[in-house]
């Protein structure tokens, strides 16, 4: 009976039922069969929604959406072009860097592919980059920013796993840079091999481009400087960012009209609502599972078969790639993290390092064939069949997997900045 | 009948939009004001942080209700791209009916939660009982139930969108 119900719910999930209803259904069933009142689940939702740190999520998301709708992406591309455009493979590095920054700010990789890819893909083709390479590049660049603060997945992990956000923000930097550097090397090599024409370096263009961006340039300083120096709490940095972006884009640049603002608010809060309700329902489920000592039983099972931490990490990598492939990063984090953290700590893995492994893994999973979310979004956005996208992504996947191995098996990379 | 229901839905949507925009604007202002007060005047609004936490609750759940209207809830959609037209329609029917039932149960659970909170008699900012801001939970879950029901009726009559995913793909 139980098995049949779970199978039906699982089937509905694969057919596209909203994840929060799937999770809620399981939780309600578990509560009901153990004669616990269903309002226990609502208590959990209410508790998580009113956690102080959660304030950072709507504020950062709103700021990110506002930036994406404004002229900021265009200005950012112009400035990075002035600085890096003369390098061999310059435009491809610009794609990697700007997409990473953009995802870090908006937290939605799909949004990056659509907003940035829409500008960069035609530019890459005009710059005589091979079509297949360009397609793979814009599809995979979107995932890069997840490890850079203040990305939403970092915040969500910190909430769910109960680690300090500041530490996680620091830990993501080196692994994130590693990903960007490895992909840049690959891109330069590709550009040199296919003899992509280079542009001349003009000092005056840097001046013009940075003057155009002068108001947005202090933003990273506010976010990173404020948080790392310990001067602001994360939610305070979010509040300043939202207010500052509102001021710059609406009053100084006037890229967006005031009557368009409610639409931007609505779009961004639909994403926040979608994440919050999954977070709420998943925590209800995992709380129940923890009470029922499921992670403990899982741990005994795994410990009996896997003795070395190394082997455990290999299994974790494979498992998380599969999860990241079928599930979006927010749901994956809220459901899987509470079950895995106790097991990982039994193998002596640092909770902050574990967070970076999770995020790197899940973000790469999102571009993994056959059903990675980014492949679908890219296929729709650039009107290309799935199959050619999978082919275009393959060389990038190889590099991302190498980087993933380094991030997973060299804890130093994540923990060096923590002290 | 369907027309009337959809017009009702649109009216509710306008109210939601106003609530959402006011709450978010208020949140940005108060959160920023708190920082200014704390850093420049070493003071702060005593009720500010509680208000902000309740605004997150409201914004989040109103956002979730709007996500239901627009079919933008996060889901896993691995099967439907390969399904034929009729299969998509059937899948849409099943998932919407399922979501309708689950949201109904959640709305009921949220009502029990409110009743319980009211009996406890805790108060939050400005001596308002805690259950009052929390009423957004049964209200939005009720709304989600209504909207999933509406989606279900639409798939029955064969109009409207079949997969929940369709709209979201265009946007993200």
């Amino acid at each position: 009976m139980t098995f049949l119900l779970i199978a039906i719910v699982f089937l509905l999930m694969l057919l596209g039922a909203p994840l929060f209803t799937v999770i809620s259904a399981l939780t309600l069933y578990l509560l009901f069969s153990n004669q616990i009142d269903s309002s226990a689940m609502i208590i959990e939702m209410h508790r998580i929604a009113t956690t102080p740190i959660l304030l950072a999520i709507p504020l950062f998301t709103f700021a990110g959406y506002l930036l994406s709708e404004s002229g900021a992406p265009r200005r950012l591309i112009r400035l990075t072009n002035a600085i890096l455009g003369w390098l061999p493979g310059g435009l491809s590095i610009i794609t990697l860097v700007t997409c990473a920054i953009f995802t870090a700010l908006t937290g939605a990789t799909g949004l990056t592919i659509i907003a940035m890819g829409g500008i960069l893909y035609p530019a890459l083709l005009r710059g005589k980059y091979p079509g297949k390479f360009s397609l793979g590049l814009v599809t995979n660049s979107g995932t890069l920013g997840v490890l850079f603060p203040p990305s939403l997945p970092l915040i969500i992990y910190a909430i769910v796993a109960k680690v300090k956000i500041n530490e996680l923000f620091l830990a993501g930097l080196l692994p994130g840079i590693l990903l960007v550097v490895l992909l840049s090397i690959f891109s330069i090599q590709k550009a040199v091999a296919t003899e992509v024409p280079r542009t001349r370096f003009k000092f005056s263009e840097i001046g013009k481009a940075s003057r155009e961006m002068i108001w947005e340039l202090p933003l990273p300083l506010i976010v990173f400087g404020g948080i790392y120096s310990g001067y602001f709490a994360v939610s305070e940095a979010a509040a300043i960012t939202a207010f500052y972006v509102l001021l710059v884009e609406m009053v100084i640049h006037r890229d967006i009209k005031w009557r368009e603002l409610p639409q931007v608010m609505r779009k961004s809060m639909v994403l926040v609502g979608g994440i919050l309700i999954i977070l709420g329902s998943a925590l209800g489920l995992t709380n129940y599972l923890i009470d029922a000592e499921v992670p403990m039983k899982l741990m005994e099972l795994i410990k009996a078969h896997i003795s070395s931490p190394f082997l455990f990490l290999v299994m974790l990598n494979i498992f998380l790639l599969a999860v990241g492939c079928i599930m979006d990063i927010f749901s994956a984090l809220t459901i899987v993290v509470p079950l895995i953290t106790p097991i990982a700590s039994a193998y002596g893995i640092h909770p902050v390092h574990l967070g970076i492994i999770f995020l790197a893994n899940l973000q790469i999973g999102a571009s993994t064939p056959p059903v990675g979310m980014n492949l679908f979004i890219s296929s729709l956005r650039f009107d290309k069949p799935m199959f050619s996208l999978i082919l275009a992504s393959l060389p990038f996947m190889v590099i991302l997997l190498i980087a993933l191995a380094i991030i997973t098996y060299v804890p130093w990379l994540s923990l060096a900045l923590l002290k | 009948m369907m027309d009337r229901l959809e017009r009702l839905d649109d009216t509710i949507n306008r109210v939601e939009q106003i609530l959402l925009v006011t709450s978010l604007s208020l949140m940005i202002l108060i959160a920023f004001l708190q920082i200014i007060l704390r850093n420049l005047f070493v003071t702060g609004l005593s009720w500010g942080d509680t208000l902000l936490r309740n605004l997150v609750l409201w914004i989040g759940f109103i956002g979730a209700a709007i996500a239901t209207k627009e079919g933008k809830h996060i889901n896993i959609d691995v099967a439907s791209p390969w399904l034929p037209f009729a299969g998509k329609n059937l899948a849409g029917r099943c998932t919407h009916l399922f979501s309708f039932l689950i949201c109904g149960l959640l709305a009921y659970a949220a009502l029990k939660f409110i009743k319980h909170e009211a009996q406890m008699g805790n108060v939050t900012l400005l001596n308002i009982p805690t259950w009052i801001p929390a009423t957004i939970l049964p209200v939005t879950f009720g709304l989600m139930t209504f909207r999933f029901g509406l989606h279900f009726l639409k798939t029955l009559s064969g109009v409207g969108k079949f997969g929940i995913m369709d709209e979201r793909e265009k946007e993200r």
Side-chain angles (χ1 to χ4, degrees):
Chain A
M1 180 63 186
T2 307
F3 182 76
L4 186 71
L5 273 173
I6 290 176
I8 291 172
V9 170
F10 198 72
L11 181 71
L12 285 166
M13 176 176 82
L14 293 182
L15 287 176
L19 265 177
F20 89 90
T21 58
V22 173
I23 302 165
S24 302
L26 289 176
T27 318
L28 286 172
Y29 174 72
L30 285 171
L31 291 176
F32 177 76
S33 52
N34 287 282
Q35 281 136 21
I36 303 169
D37 196 276
S38 58
S39 62
M41 203 185 154
I42 306 293
I43 295 175
E44 199 54 38
M45 276 191 189
H46 184 262
R47 188 186 63 78
I48 190 70
T50 50
T51 311
I53 182 62
L54 221 68
L55 178 61
I57 293 179
L59 291 172
F60 272 135
T61 311
F62 169 68
Y65 267 71
L66 196 59
L67 278 174
S68 78
E69 301 263 331
S70 73
R74 195 185 45 76
R75 288 191 285 273
L76 181 64
I77 291 171
R78 186 180 170 193
L79 180 62
T80 37
N81 188 29
I83 299 170
L84 299 169
W86 55 275
L87 283 167
L91 192 56
S92 53
I93 300 174
I94 292 162
T95 307
L96 290 166
V97 172
T98 50
C99 286
I101 295 175
F102 208 72
T103 303
L105 285 171
T106 57
T109 58
L111 198 70
T112 308
I113 294 176
I114 288 166
M116 304 296 276
I119 310 172
L120 289 163
Y121 180 60
L124 283 163
L125 293 182
R126 256 183 279 122
K128 305 258 187 313
Y129 284 81
K132 204 179 112 188
F133 168 81
S134 309
L135 199 59
L137 186 68
V138 288
T139 307
N140 290 285
S141 303
T143 61
L144 282 184
V146 169
L147 292 176
F148 293 112
S151 90
L152 278 187
L154 276 174
I155 302 178
I156 305 264
Y157 180 88
I159 293 172
V160 177
K162 302 190 181 75
V163 297
K164 286 205 186 98
I165 293 196
N166 315 24
E167 292 190 350
L168 206 60
F169 275 8
L170 275 174
L173 286 179
L174 290 183
I177 291 169
L178 175 78
L179 283 170
V180 175
V181 167
L182 283 184
L183 285 177
S184 299
I185 293 170
F186 170 68
S187 303
I188 292 172
Q189 175 267 329
K190 191 80 184 172
V192 172
T194 51
E195 289 168 2
V196 173
R198 286 159 66 174
T199 49
R200 288 230 334 272
F201 180 77
K202 273 189 269 159
F203 209 79
S204 63
E205 173 65 9
I206 293 193
K208 270 187 234 156
S210 33
R211 215 169 310 138
E212 202 185 37
M213 252 211 122
I214 189 86
W215 289 103
E216 280 125 349
L217 283 177
L219 206 55
L221 204 72
I222 299 174
V223 177
F224 305 144
I227 296 172
Y228 290 147
S229 67
Y231 195 76
F232 295 132
V234 172
S235 55
E236 287 181 319
I240 294 177
T241 306
F243 192 83
Y244 185 79
V245 168
L246 195 66
L247 195 73
V248 170
E249 307 304 339
M250 304 301 296
V251 181
I252 296 172
H253 281 302
R254 298 190 190 174
D255 287 334
I256 298 166
K257 296 188 189 75
W258 281 101
R259 61 181 160 77
E260 290 166 357
L261 191 62
Q263 215 42 45
V264 180
M265 288 184 164
R266 182 185 171 108
K267 259 194 230 166
S268 54
M269 291 312 115
V270 163
L271 177 67
V272 170
I275 295 174
L276 187 71
I277 200 163
I278 286 192
L279 192 66
S281 48
L283 285 181
L285 178 64
T286 50
N287 266 10
Y288 173 84
L289 292 178
I290 289 168
D291 280 348
E293 298 192 326
V294 171
M296 292 296 136
K297 286 169 194 157
L298 211 60
M299 185 160 81
E300 273 158 30
L301 191 74
I302 293 175
K303 276 233 134 169
H305 293 92
I306 301 171
S307 51
S308 77
F310 180 80
L311 201 60
F312 170 74
L313 284 175
V314 174
M315 300 303 290
L316 186 65
N317 276 151
I318 297 169
F319 171 68
L320 288 180
L321 275 181
V323 171
C325 181
I326 55 166
M327 225 185 248
D328 78 286
I329 194 160
F330 302 115
S331 334
L333 283 176
T334 47
I335 298 167
V336 179
V337 169
L339 298 178
I340 300 288
T341 32
I343 305 174
S345 71
Y347 282 100
I349 295 156
H350 193 286
V352 171
H353 179 217
L354 183 72
I356 302 302
I357 297 175
F358 256 95
L359 294 169
N361 237 313
L362 291 173
Q363 69 166 344
I364 293 169
S367 316
T368 306
V371 286
M373 186 65 162
N374 291 337
L375 300 172
F376 280 117
I377 293 171
S378 219
S379 143
L380 280 170
R381 178 65 183 80
F382 304 115
D383 205 16
K384 292 275 189 289
M386 267 304 269
F387 187 66
S388 67
L389 265 162
I390 293 177
L391 279 185
S393 291
L394 276 184
F396 291 92
M397 278 313 294
V398 173
I399 300 182
L400 289 173
L401 289 179
I402 293 172
L404 179 63
I406 300 175
I407 291 169
T408 310
Y409 306 113
V410 186
W412 176 87
L413 209 57
S414 308
L415 304 174
L417 295 176
L418 291 189
K419 277 190 297 228
Chain B
M1 175 63 180
M2 273 302 276
D3 263 13
R4 290 256 291 281
L5 286 178
E6 277 190 48
R7 248 179 308 178
L8 173 67
D9 191 31
D10 287 338
T11 314
I12 297 170
N13 187 38
R14 273 195 289 279
V15 179
E16 277 177 315
Q17 172 87 16
I18 293 167
L19 272 176
L20 189 75
V21 171
T22 351
S23 308
L24 184 59
S25 310
L26 199 65
M27 175 194 277
I28 296 169
L29 280 177
I30 304 258
F32 187 70
L33 190 68
Q34 283 285 65
I35 297 167
I36 299 289
L37 288 177
R38 205 166 294 155
N39 288 292
L40 297 184
F41 304 100
V42 205
T43 163
L45 309 167
S46 57
W47 43 267
D49 289 347
T50 320
L51 177 64
L52 285 173
R53 284 208 298 275
N54 280 301
L55 284 174
V56 176
L57 179 75
W58 276 59
I59 287 173
F61 278 89
I62 294 173
I66 299 178
T68 312
K69 179 175 170 60
E70 299 182 351
K72 280 186 189 157
H73 272 295
I74 295 172
N75 61 353
I76 298 171
D77 204 26
V78 288
S80 82
W82 282 284
L83 285 178
F85 185 77
K88 264 186 205 172
N89 195 0
L90 187 64
R93 264 182 224 178
C94 297
T95 53
H96 287 140
L97 183 63
F98 169 72
S99 306
F100 168 78
L101 293 173
I102 297 299
C103 283
L105 289 175
L106 286 173
Y108 174 64
L111 271 179
K112 277 193 293 187
F113 167 72
I114 294 297
K115 204 176 129 201
H116 193 69
E117 281 285 298
Q119 280 165 355
M120 299 260 283
N122 290 337
V123 290
T124 171
L125 61 133
L126 307 172
N127 272 331
I128 299 169
T130 36
W131 65 270
I132 290 186
T135 44
I136 195 73
L137 287 163
V139 169
T140 46
F141 274 126
L143 207 51
M144 283 183 242
T145 314
F146 169 66
R147 282 177 173 160
F148 278 121
L150 210 57
H151 283 312
F152 172 67
L153 290 178
K154 269 191 227 166
T155 46
L156 268 193
S157 55
V159 291
K161 44 184 187 279
F162 302 118
I164 293 182
M165 190 66 185
D166 295 354
E167 282 291 306
R168 191 164 72 115
E169 278 171 342
K170 274 181 229 147
E171 198 117 359
R172 284 170 71 181

